[in-house]
Amino acid sequence: MAGTPFSQQVLKPMNAAKKLGVYLPATPPEFQEHGITRAQLEELETNPPEWLADLRRNGPHPRPVVAGRLGISIAGLARGGITEPLTTEQIDELRDDPPAWLLAERETAAKVREEEDRVAAEAARKAEKAARRSR
């Protein structure tokens, strides 16, 4: 039994919106109501229509995009009381005049990245040591 070719696999609207980095309720009704194939998704990424370019530029943006633009985690957004999508203008306002919670979350995110880097460097060092021993 042959499966559907990869490019013809249909993605649900929610998954397609996640892959495109857009907030599903802000997309056109036809996008929300019908799945799209991986080939169509690739076409949207390569040649975004005006609605997609506008959403990416102005929002509203889904939480992963908001968190990324603010340099914090999604959990940090929730701790800061941000549970709804934000527009680019709202994100810029937060960046221009960051509240105390955002500064604290940025500090936390920086510490997490430092620890992840330290752990990765340690793992690389151990792997290199093991590779030298096996020669």
Side-chain angles (χ1 to χ4, degrees), residues 55-133:
L55 267 181
R56 286 177 166 171
R57 186 174 37 257
N58 301 314
H61 303 288
R63 288 180 309 152
V65 172
V66 174
R69 289 187 178 191
L70 292 175
I72 62 174
S73 68
I74 294 172
L77 275 180
R79 285 189 294 270
I82 305 294
T83 57
E84 297 297 317
L86 298 180
T87 64
T88 298
E89 184 178 335
Q90 291 168 312
I91 293 168
D92 289 345
E93 286 172 8
L94 285 170
R95 288 159 107 183
D96 292 344
D97 188 18
W101 68 264
L102 180 54
L103 296 173
E105 289 299 333
R106 284 181 174 165
E107 191 174 309
T108 299
K111 288 177 183 173
V112 168
R113 282 190 295 274
E114 285 174 19
E115 179 62 10
E116 288 171 346
D117 290 348
R118 186 194 66 74
V119 168
E122 178 69 15
R125 186 186 63 74
K126 286 181 180 178
E128 176 64 28
K129 191 174 181 180
R132 281 197 304 265
R133 272 187 269 146

Side-chain angles (χ1 to χ4, degrees), residues 14-62:
M14 177 61 77
N15 293 336
K18 281 182 183 178
K19 289 192 177 292
L20 292 170
V22 295
Y23 181 58
L24 181 61
T27 62
E30 60 272 10
F31 183 88
Q32 295 178 40
E33 295 164 5
H34 306 289
I36 64 169
T37 65
R38 289 185 181 277
Q40 290 169 320
L41 177 72
E42 189 174 314
E43 179 61 25
L44 285 173
E45 289 174 332
T46 306
N47 298 306
E50 187 56 38
W51 67 262
L52 179 55
D54 186 55
L55 267 181
R56 286 177 166 171
R57 186 174 37 257
N58 301 314
H61 303 288

